[in-house]
Amino acid sequence: MDVKEIIGVWDFGYSLDKHSVRSVYIGENAWGHPEFETVRTDVGEAVFRLKYRNDLTKCTYIAQKINDYILSKLPFISFIVSMPPSKKRTKQPVQEIASELAQITGKPCIEGLLIKSKSTPQMKDISNRQERIDLLMDAFEIDERVAARLTETGYNVLIIDDLYDSGTSLEAATQTLRKCDKIKQVFVATATRKK
């Protein structure tokens, strides 16, 4: 594992490993789309199989690695949340990882606290970083019904995500969570990162 600290508006953040080691263009398929031969890290391959091959058995592997390599680097965690999904699926990969991590750690996973209330365009199509953050800030919100069930203040929250790229989604999520007066610190853990 090549664990790396990721710096952002959150209090502490880490990523387990790069997503891929290399990707080489090998030509076009029958429909004219580019094809690549990609060599992924072990965690990158697990994320790929989970998201694109629907292999839910990879959730345990990813969650265990986050537990083994990242959690010891963080202060006390009150509960876990997952990044809201950008795509509708029967089973949400990041939510499944967060739920599995909750099982491993004995920490609660609070589903639905952080929600995506509006759809957004593909972030890769927007080159301006601040514009991406503004769009996402407008799309994320705290579900007040879920927040009302938090009985204390001073909670430390761990956000789980599968891939760290520019950090704009995690930044918007962190800023949204900070609007909840019951939350003290926000931590981030991602399975993989682009660089």
Side-chain angles (χ1 to χ4, degrees), residues 122-132:
Q122 289 278 332
M123 291 297 117
K124 64 183 177 185
D125 297 334
I126 300 167
S127 59
N128 182 290
R129 179 179 172 76
Q130 191 56 50
E131 189 178 336
R132 283 186 296 209

Side-chain angles (χ1 to χ4, degrees), residues 24 48 52-53 60 70 77 87 104 131 135 141-142 145 154 180:
V24 179
F48 173 80
Y52 302 106
R53 300 295 184 261
T60 302
I70 293 179
I77 295 165
K87 192 175 172 179
I104 292 167
E131 189 178 336
L135 274 168
E141 64 182 55
I142 299 284
R145 293 168 302 177
C180 178

Side-chain angles (χ1 to χ4, degrees), residues 99-164:
S99 295
E100 191 65 34
L101 184 61
Q103 289 281 334
I104 292 167
T105 62
K107 302 287 181 184
C109 181
I110 309 291
E111 291 184 40
L113 176 65
L114 179 65
I115 57 172
K116 192 169 185 186
S117 56
K118 296 179 185 174
S119 62
T120 56
Q122 289 278 332
M123 291 297 117
K124 64 183 177 185
D125 297 334
I126 300 167
S127 59
N128 182 290
R129 179 179 172 76
Q130 191 56 50
E131 189 178 336
R132 283 186 296 209
I133 293 168
D134 292 343
L135 274 168
L136 289 164
M137 284 295 297
D138 195 40
F140 289 148
E141 64 182 55
I142 299 284
D143 185 326
E144 293 303 329
R145 293 168 302 177
V146 177
R149 294 195 303 256
L150 300 175
T151 56
E152 300 171 20
T153 59
Y155 290 105
N156 291 344
V157 182
L158 174 63
I159 305 173
I160 299 296
D161 205 358
D162 58 345
L163 175 68
Y164 175 82

Side-chain angles (χ1 to χ4, degrees), residues 3-195:
V3 177
K4 183 177 177 188
E5 184 175 10
I6 48 178
I7 306 296
V9 297
W10 43 86
D11 294 285
F12 297 99
Y14 293 92
S15 173
L16 280 173
D17 209 340
K18 292 179 186 175
H19 189 75
S20 58
V21 178
R22 69 177 177 280
S23 191
V24 179
Y25 175 74
I26 56 173
E28 295 180 354
N29 65 16
W31 299 275
H33 299 290
E35 289 189 312
F36 297 86
E37 182 180 301
T38 303
V39 176
R40 297 176 190 87
T41 61
D42 290 345
V43 175
E45 186 64 27
V47 168
F48 173 80
R49 290 191 178 282
L50 172 61
K51 286 182 74 173
Y52 302 106
R53 300 295 184 261
N54 204 29
D55 184 352
L56 293 173
T57 65
K58 299 302 177 192
C59 293
T60 302
Y61 171 82
I62 296 166
Q64 189 64 56
K65 295 299 179 193
I66 290 171
N67 181 68
D68 294 349
Y69 291 93
I70 293 179
L71 264 58
S72 63
K73 298 177 181 303
L74 299 174
F76 176 80
I77 295 165
S78 307
F79 61 84
I80 300 165
V81 299
S82 63
M83 275 296 290
S86 54
K87 192 175 172 179
K88 293 244 185 254
R89 291 182 165 106
T90 311
K91 294 263 190 183
Q92 293 296 344
V94 175
Q95 178 61 49
E96 295 296 319
I97 295 168
S99 295
E100 191 65 34
L101 184 61
Q103 289 281 334
I104 292 167
T105 62
K107 302 287 181 184
C109 181
I110 309 291
E111 291 184 40
L113 176 65
L114 179 65
I115 57 172
K116 192 169 185 186
S117 56
K118 296 179 185 174
S119 62
T120 56
Q122 289 278 332
M123 291 297 117
K124 64 183 177 185
D125 297 334
I126 300 167
S127 59
N128 182 290
R129 179 179 172 76
Q130 191 56 50
E131 189 178 336
R132 283 186 296 209
I133 293 168
D134 292 343
L135 274 168
L136 289 164
M137 284 295 297
D138 195 40
F140 289 148
E141 64 182 55
I142 299 284
D143 185 326
E144 293 303 329
R145 293 168 302 177
V146 177
R149 294 195 303 256
L150 300 175
T151 56
E152 300 171 20
T153 59
Y155 290 105
N156 291 344
V157 182
L158 174 63
I159 305 173
I160 299 296
D161 205 358
D162 58 345
L163 175 68
Y164 175 82
D165 187 1
S166 66
T168 53
S169 296
L170 285 166
E171 185 169 326
T174 298
Q175 289 181 33
T176 301
L177 284 169
R178 288 194 194 284
K179 291 178 184 177
C180 178
D181 60 1
K182 296 177 179 179
I183 293 174
K184 181 181 177 188
Q185 291 188 300
V186 179
F187 312 131
V188 167
T190 71
T192 62
R193 61 185 178 273
K194 282 268 181 122
K195 298 172 185 168

